[in-house]
Amino acid sequence: YQYDSIGMPYTLLGKTYDSTIKVMQRDYATSPGEPVQNVYQQKDFSEERYAKGIGLIYKNFLHYIWQTSASIPAHYEDESYGLRLRIIDHN
């Protein structure tokens, strides 16, 4: 894990949070860029933002495996998925 932008403001959905921290959990790919026909690729990415006094306000997670073989067209494996969470409101 790497911590970045400690105590920095962060704007999300039009609202600015004064003191946040960015947590980079994983950023790995077998090759850079988007999947290309006939080239196997795996990508894992996870980033979170926390706001002081609130907690988690943003999460971006992606895991995919781009598979190719001679017998079937290139495709994303069934276990591939991603999610993005954003705070909507806080009192």
Side-chain angles (χ1 to χ4, degrees), residues 9-41:
Y10 183 71
T11 301
L12 183 63
L13 299 175
K15 181 171 180 175
T16 300
Y17 299 88
D18 293 329
S19 182
T20 68
I21 185 170
K22 176 174 145 181
V23 180
M24 290 299 299
Q25 296 178 343
R26 185 145 172 96
D27 190 1
Y28 167 80
T30 54
S31 59
E34 298 298 316
V36 179
Q37 190 73 17
N38 298 325
V39 177
Y40 170 88
Q41 186 179 36

Side-chain angles (χ1 to χ4, degrees), residues 44-90:
D44 293 299
F45 177 85
S46 184
E47 170 189 349
E48 294 178 347
R49 295 268 182 167
Y50 293 86
K52 186 175 183 178
I54 298 173
L56 181 68
I57 60 170
Y58 176 79
K59 179 178 183 81
N60 186 11
F61 177 87
L62 176 64
H63 165 76
Y64 69 73
I65 296 175
W66 178 258
Q67 189 66 268
T68 184
S69 72
S71 61
I72 57 174
H75 64 284
Y76 290 103
E77 288 286 315
D78 289 341
E79 297 83 20
S80 300
Y81 69 102
L83 63 94
R84 185 171 294 155
L85 305 172
R86 294 177 281 198
I87 189 171
I88 297 171
D89 195 11
H90 174 263

